Amino acid sequence: MKKATNTASDEEKDAYIGRKFDRAAGSYDESRLVKSYQRRVQKLVIARMSIEKGMNVLDLGCGTGQGTIDIALKLEGTGNVIGIDLSEKMIEQAKKKLDNFKSKNVKFMVGSIGSVDYQDYFDFVFSTNAFHHFENKESIFTKVRQSLKPNGVFLVQDICDDYLLMRLLDLAGKIGQKEHVGSMKSKELESLFHKTGFTNIEVEKLKINWFFRVMIGNGIKRDSKIER
């Protein structure tokens, strides 16, 4: 594992997002949005992950860490699961949850995929309800691919701009929320997987409730031996 270099601009943007979510961290899990939408989608995503004992998993944009702990429970004390988030206060909330969780295979850290590099380490990297906050999405895909073992899987869930309501939500976020960088259409997500060398790409669109429409995309880092 080695440190990566971020530009000053990237660091400033990351710091702003971190501070924004710091202010929400204390009551985040009890918010209506999290209870009625985000946790529901997160559980759906995790249910689709073929988690096996001994795997290493990264939760990118883990928030208060509930999804990270869900994965750890599936691992039953084996392997390693790391939750990473830009918000120091979110990570503090996540670590509090470990007080009643005795497994030592969980780690939470403040940062982004750009702040540390893992080479050929993870079996799964997943991100839920977070990618609309990320700049330089293609760069993130590239770093995630580097961090995956051969045949490792990257899974991304976010709101889907194929739908008018979600495009309006995206526009409102861009106008009123500095931390909202922008969501994508399903073809854009699929294209990112292709551009960064993933294979076996799938993107599915889902209706979660009367309002939210999301997409779940995944791709595999093909074994380099097979690629040759």
Side-chain angles (χ1 to χ4, degrees), residues 43 53-54 75 91 104 118 142 147:
K43 289 178 181 179
K53 291 181 181 180
L75 290 171
I91 292 299
K104 296 181 179 180
Y118 292 85
T142 298
S147 77

Short mmCIF file of all heavy atoms in Angstrom, two decimals, residues 43 53-54 75 91 104 118 142 147:
data_model
loop_
_atom_site.label_atom_id
_atom_site.label_comp_id
_atom_site.label_asym_id
_atom_site.label_seq_id
_atom_site.Cartn_x
_atom_site.Cartn_y
_atom_site.Cartn_z
N LYS A 43 -28.75 -2.29 1.09
CA LYS A 43 -29.00 -3.71 1.38
C LYS A 43 -29.23 -4.49 0.08
O LYS A 43 -28.79 -5.64 -0.05
CB LYS A 43 -30.21 -3.85 2.30
CG LYS A 43 -29.96 -3.40 3.72
CD LYS A 43 -31.22 -3.51 4.57
CE LYS A 43 -30.99 -3.05 5.99
NZ LYS A 43 -32.23 -3.14 6.81
N LYS A 53 -16.11 -16.15 2.49
CA LYS A 53 -15.15 -16.02 3.58
C LYS A 53 -13.74 -15.83 3.03
O LYS A 53 -13.36 -16.45 2.05
CB LYS A 53 -15.20 -17.26 4.48
CG LYS A 53 -16.48 -17.39 5.28
CD LYS A 53 -16.43 -18.63 6.15
CE LYS A 53 -17.72 -18.80 6.96
NZ LYS A 53 -17.69 -20.01 7.81
N GLY A 54 -12.99 -14.96 3.69
CA GLY A 54 -11.61 -14.71 3.30
C GLY A 54 -11.41 -13.60 2.30
O GLY A 54 -10.27 -13.24 1.99
N LEU A 75 -18.55 -11.96 6.15
CA LEU A 75 -17.22 -12.55 6.15
C LEU A 75 -16.95 -13.40 7.39
O LEU A 75 -16.02 -14.21 7.40
CB LEU A 75 -16.15 -11.45 6.05
CG LEU A 75 -16.06 -10.73 4.71
CD1 LEU A 75 -15.13 -9.52 4.82
CD2 LEU A 75 -15.58 -11.65 3.60
N ILE A 91 -16.73 8.95 9.81
CA ILE A 91 -15.87 7.83 10.21
C ILE A 91 -15.90 7.65 11.73
O ILE A 91 -15.88 6.52 12.23
CB ILE A 91 -14.43 8.05 9.70
CG1 ILE A 91 -14.40 7.95 8.17
CG2 ILE A 91 -13.47 7.04 10.32
CD1 ILE A 91 -14.83 6.61 7.59
N LYS A 104 -12.22 -8.26 14.29
CA LYS A 104 -11.06 -7.41 14.05
C LYS A 104 -10.77 -7.24 12.56
O LYS A 104 -9.71 -6.72 12.21
CB LYS A 104 -9.84 -7.98 14.76
CG LYS A 104 -9.97 -8.01 16.28
CD LYS A 104 -8.71 -8.56 16.93
CE LYS A 104 -8.85 -8.56 18.45
NZ LYS A 104 -7.63 -9.10 19.11
N TYR A 118 -4.12 0.65 -3.26
CA TYR A 118 -3.99 -0.77 -3.00
C TYR A 118 -3.80 -1.45 -4.35
O TYR A 118 -4.58 -1.20 -5.28
CB TYR A 118 -5.24 -1.33 -2.32
CG TYR A 118 -5.47 -0.83 -0.91
CD1 TYR A 118 -6.12 0.38 -0.68
CD2 TYR A 118 -5.04 -1.57 0.17
CE1 TYR A 118 -6.34 0.84 0.60
CE2 TYR A 118 -5.25 -1.12 1.48
CZ TYR A 118 -5.91 0.08 1.68
OH TYR A 118 -6.11 0.54 2.95
N THR A 142 -10.15 3.93 -12.68
CA THR A 142 -8.80 3.41 -12.95
C THR A 142 -8.12 2.97 -11.66
O THR A 142 -7.51 1.89 -11.59
CB THR A 142 -7.95 4.47 -13.66
OG1 THR A 142 -8.56 4.80 -14.91
CG2 THR A 142 -6.54 3.97 -13.91
N SER A 147 -6.65 -1.50 -7.73
CA SER A 147 -6.75 -2.04 -6.38
C SER A 147 -7.34 -3.45 -6.34
O SER A 147 -7.20 -4.15 -5.33
CB SER A 147 -7.60 -1.10 -5.50
OG SER A 147 -8.98 -1.25 -5.77
#
